């Protein structure tokens, strides 16, 4: 808090200190979605070395070789908006909350489509499927985290 004088009046200016956890959360999601974009290009590029290094079988390769357009749109929106949301969070802008919401909603739509209509659980297996569900929960948590920071005045 700092007092300033303007035309004979004392005005109190509040400065919100940046909490340490904003850096932790921002960098964590920057890493998660940075790797998500790498995975996006490796999976859709059908990089056989990447598939082999992750022990993906021919069913996974086939799953991504003819990937439909609608889930691709949701996946693209998810990974790129997740990365942008983490960058915006580090810059403390209010847009981080809205971009995190876009990322979470697109990921939810992607998972509903792929689990319901593309046999995702059986093709990718339970561990990858559970990991993706955990990412949905984390991304939704990022939205709520940003919303709380916005209400506290930390995001501008």
């Amino acid at each position: 808090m700092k007092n300033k004088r303007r035309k004979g009046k004392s005005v109190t200016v509040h400065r919100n200190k940046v909490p340490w956890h904003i850096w932790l959360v921002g960098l964590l999601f920057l890493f998660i979605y940075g790797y998500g974009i790498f995975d996006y290009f490796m999976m859709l590029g059908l990089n056989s070395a990447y598939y082999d290094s992750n022990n993906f079988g021919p069913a996974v390769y086939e799953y991504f070789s003819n990937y439909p357009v609608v889930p691709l749109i949701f996946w693209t929106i998810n990974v790129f908006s997740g990365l942008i949301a983490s960058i915006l969070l580090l810059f403390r802008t209010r847009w981080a909350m809205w971009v995190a919401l876009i990322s979470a909603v697109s990921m939810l739509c992607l998972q509903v489509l792929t689990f319901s209509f593309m046999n995702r659980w059986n093709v990718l297996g339970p561990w990858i499927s559970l990991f993706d569900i955990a990412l949905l929960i984390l991304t939704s948590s990022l939205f709520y985290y940003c919303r709380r920071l916005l209400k506290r005045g930390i995001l501008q």
Side-chain angles (χ1 to χ4, degrees), residues 32-45 64 67-85 99-111 113-114 120 139:
I32 288 171
Y33 278 101
Y35 184 80
I37 290 172
F38 172 76
D39 182 66
Y40 171 88
F41 284 112
M42 292 295 110
M43 296 299 272
L44 291 177
F64 286 104
Y67 207 68
V69 173
V70 174
L72 178 62
I73 291 169
F74 286 124
W75 189 12
T76 303
I77 292 170
N78 168 244
V79 293
F80 286 99
S81 61
L83 182 71
I84 292 168
V99 177
L101 177 63
I102 290 168
S103 181
V105 169
S106 64
M107 187 179 225
L108 176 64
C109 292
L110 173 67
Q111 290 189 9
L113 283 173
T114 56
R120 181 184 183 123
T139 303

Side-chain angles (χ1 to χ4, degrees), residues 88-156:
L88 292 173
L89 176 62
L90 292 172
F91 282 105
R92 293 180 39 210
T93 177
R94 72 179 51 239
W95 289 100
M97 180 187 76
W98 296 110
V99 177
L101 177 63
I102 290 168
S103 181
V105 169
S106 64
M107 187 179 225
L108 176 64
C109 292
L110 173 67
Q111 290 189 9
V112 166
L113 283 173
T114 56
F115 282 115
S116 300
F117 302 110
M118 295 177 61
N119 200 20
R120 181 184 183 123
W121 185 273
N122 291 329
V123 173
L124 297 177
W127 292 113
I128 293 174
S129 298
L130 290 172
F131 179 76
D132 289 343
I133 292 168
L135 284 177
L136 174 61
I137 294 167
L138 283 173
T139 303
S140 300
S141 299
L142 176 64
F143 163 70
Y144 289 111
Y145 175 75
C146 290
R147 190 172 88 169
R148 182 172 176 191
L149 291 178
L150 183 63
K151 285 182 180 180
R152 289 180 48 202
I154 294 171
L155 300 182
Q156 304 299 322

Side-chain angles (χ1 to χ4, degrees), residues 59-71:
V60 175
Y61 188 87
E62 179 65 29
Y63 181 85
F64 286 104
S65 64
N66 294 316
Y67 207 68
V69 173
V70 174

Side-chain angles (χ1 to χ4, degrees), residues 10-78:
S10 180
V11 178
T12 303
V13 177
H14 296 278
R15 295 183 189 256
N16 290 326
K17 186 177 175 185
V18 179
W20 63 270
H21 49 81
I22 200 169
W23 296 103
L24 178 69
V25 171
L27 291 173
L28 173 69
F29 278 94
L30 191 66
F31 172 76
I32 288 171
Y33 278 101
Y35 184 80
I37 290 172
F38 172 76
D39 182 66
Y40 171 88
F41 284 112
M42 292 295 110
M43 296 299 272
L44 291 177
L46 302 174
N47 185 317
S48 59
Y50 183 74
Y51 279 82
D52 291 341
S53 69
N54 286 300
N55 296 321
F56 294 140
V60 175
Y61 188 87
E62 179 65 29
Y63 181 85
F64 286 104
S65 64
N66 294 316
Y67 207 68
V69 173
V70 174
L72 178 62
I73 291 169
F74 286 124
W75 189 12
T76 303
I77 292 170
N78 168 244

